[in-house]
Every structure is written in C-alpha cells, then in structure tokens.
Amino acid sequence: AQTVTQSQPEMSVQEAETVTLSCTYDTSESDYYLFWYKQPPSRQMILVIRQEAYKQQNATENRFSVNFQKAAKSFSLKISDSQLGDAAMYFCAYKSRDDKIIFGKGTRLHILP
Amino acid sequence: DVKVTQSSRYLVKRTGEKVFLECVQDMDHENMFWYRQDPGLGLRLIYFSYDVKMKEKGDIPEGYSVSREKKERFSLILESASTNQTSMYLCASSLPGMNTEAFFGQGTRLTVV
C-alpha cells in the first residue's frame, strides 16, 4: 500500500524568508502524481502545485516550487518570500491509476511577522 | 466558479443517532471522496465513488456507509454515531485521471455527544 509521510508537524518561518516542507512517500508504482495542498485556517483546501513522476523537471508555481527526487521518493515544497497569507496546514498527497488520493499527516506552517 | 458544498458546517448529534452528511458538486465530476480529518492524523479516506452507484472502501470505512444516487451528490452515513466519530469530515470531487486536482468542500465539524 502507498504511504505518504510528512515528518514535520509544525514549522515557522520569518516573513520574506524561504522555507522547505518535507515529504516522503512509498510506492511500488512507476507512474503517479504528487501534489501539495494548502488548508488555510477555517478555509477550504486548495491545490498549490502538482508533479508528474515521469517528469524530471521540478514543478514551479510563482513562489512555490518542488524538489522531486524520484529515486529517493522525496517531494519537498519550497516557499520563497514567505507571506502572512502562506500560514496554513500543508498536505502532501499521492495519486496513481486508481484515482484514490493518499494524504500525509500535514505540516502546520506559521509565518512570523 | 467551481463548487463543492457540504450541507452543514457544524453538527452536534447524540450517540446512537443515524447521521447523514451531504455533499454536492456542480462540476460534473465523476469522482467523489469522503475524508476524515483529525489532528496529528491528517486526512484519511473513508469512501471513494467513481461513478453513480459505484463506491470503494477507503482506509477507515468501519462505521460508515455512503450513497451516490446522482452524479452531483455523495452522502456519508453514520449508521449509529459514536463519540469516536467526532471529527472534521471533508468531501472532495475530481475528474478521473492521475493528474486531476481535487476540489474540496468547506468541511463539516461533527460532534457526537
């Protein structure tokens, strides 16, 4: 069975600094997608970024980028120029051919003004 | 604008009651999901539906059932609510395919007393 592990329950970063959230996963499949979702306080979960396992190039969305290491089964999220609005729970997620989405336990990110 | 709507934001029910949590999406998505979110445990999949009347068990289906009679609506049923089912319940929907984004409802915080 596939698993997703986020080893950092909470992190803090100074506003305007860069922070990296870690995620590792376990799977025997070769084709899959990985996602980072953001859940702001009392607001709906939204997609931050996605990465296809067959693409070597790391995905980037504005201030958000990933470091995807397929052999190591690692998928970290880097947030540059952190802003107060980035404060949220961040979930790493895995999806393969069966369409089920497997989530990690989440990392709560605090932004310090 | 894409929408997944859960019928209640907060619910308080008594032990032993039959509880219905309703979710409606307006995006014509085939896939719908019910997750349970608990602190320190992340999101755990309860049930997944990939079409009308089709369902698959997730990781924690015990004590729950689901109904999908129409494409837009996915109901989660607690047959006999227990205090250990006190939790945040999240509904999501997506198109089929590994690369597709999941859209989430605002969540229902259920308290069983």
Side-chain angles (χ1 to χ4, degrees):
Chain A
Q2 296 88 0
T3 58
V4 176
T5 302
Q6 294 177 249
S7 58
Q8 306 150 315
E10 282 193 72
M11 294 190 72
S12 296
V13 63
Q14 209 74 37
E15 196 175 0
E17 297 292 306
T18 295
V19 63
T20 299
L21 309 184
S22 301
C23 173
T24 58
Y25 60 96
D26 192 23
T27 184
S28 57
E29 305 198 17
S30 58
D31 196 14
Y32 49 87
Y33 267 75
L34 296 162
F35 303 80
W36 278 98
Y37 283 88
K38 171 184 177 181
Q39 187 181 42
S42 302
R43 290 176 60 189
Q44 282 163 268
M45 186 104 71
I46 56 172
L47 176 68
V48 175
I49 198 166
R50 78 189 93 188
Q51 172 82 40
E52 182 180 7
Y54 270 114
K55 281 194 177 168
Q56 292 191 336
Q57 187 173 5
N58 290 323
T60 299
E61 291 284 345
N62 301 311
R63 297 183 295 106
F64 297 88
S65 61
V66 298
N67 183 4
F68 175 49
Q69 304 285 332
K70 190 172 184 180
K73 294 181 181 171
S74 170
F75 182 62
S76 59
L77 175 70
K78 185 170 89 171
I79 306 174
S80 303
D81 185 26
S82 298
Q83 300 175 1
L84 294 178
D86 296 333
M89 280 291 287
Y90 286 82
F91 291 97
C92 179
Y94 166 100
K95 190 176 182 189
S96 64
R97 293 182 194 282
D98 66 2
D99 273 5
K100 292 181 186 176
I101 312 169
I102 309 299
F103 287 87
K105 293 182 178 182
T107 297
R108 184 172 298 281
L109 179 64
H110 303 277
I111 311 296
L112 306 174
Chain B
D1 209 16
V2 156
K3 265 198 177 162
V4 178
T5 304
Q6 294 183 229
S7 54
S8 303
R9 192 75 188 260
Y10 300 95
L11 269 182
V12 179
K13 296 292 182 180
R14 294 193 180 278
T15 303
E17 274 192 80
K18 190 168 186 175
V19 181
F20 293 85
L21 303 184
E22 307 286 348
C23 176
V24 177
Q25 51 98 359
D26 65 359
M27 296 163 283
D28 203 35
H29 285 171
E30 283 80 1
N31 294 344
M32 295 188 76
F33 308 82
W34 275 108
Y35 287 90
R36 173 176 170 160
Q37 182 178 5
D38 299 288
L41 297 179
L43 276 71
R44 293 179 290 166
L45 181 63
I46 305 172
Y47 268 98
F48 163 54
S49 170
Y50 52 92
D51 204 345
V52 175
K53 298 190 188 293
M54 307 305 287
K55 62 187 179 186
E56 282 190 21
K57 292 180 180 179
D59 298 319
I60 51 164
E62 297 79 17
Y64 304 94
S65 61
V66 289
S67 171
R68 192 161 179 209
E69 297 296 319
K70 292 186 178 181
K71 192 174 185 181
E72 67 270 18
R73 185 180 296 269
F74 191 35
S75 303
L76 179 70
I77 304 156
L78 286 66
E79 297 288 342
S80 177
S82 65
T83 54
N84 62 12
Q85 292 179 308
T86 291
S87 187
M88 170 70 85
Y89 290 88
L90 294 179
C91 175
S93 73
S94 75
L95 289 168
M98 282 189 289
N99 64 327
T100 61
E101 172 185 358
F103 294 88
F104 284 82
Q106 77 276 30
T108 296
R109 184 165 296 282
L110 172 67
T111 302
V112 182
V113 297

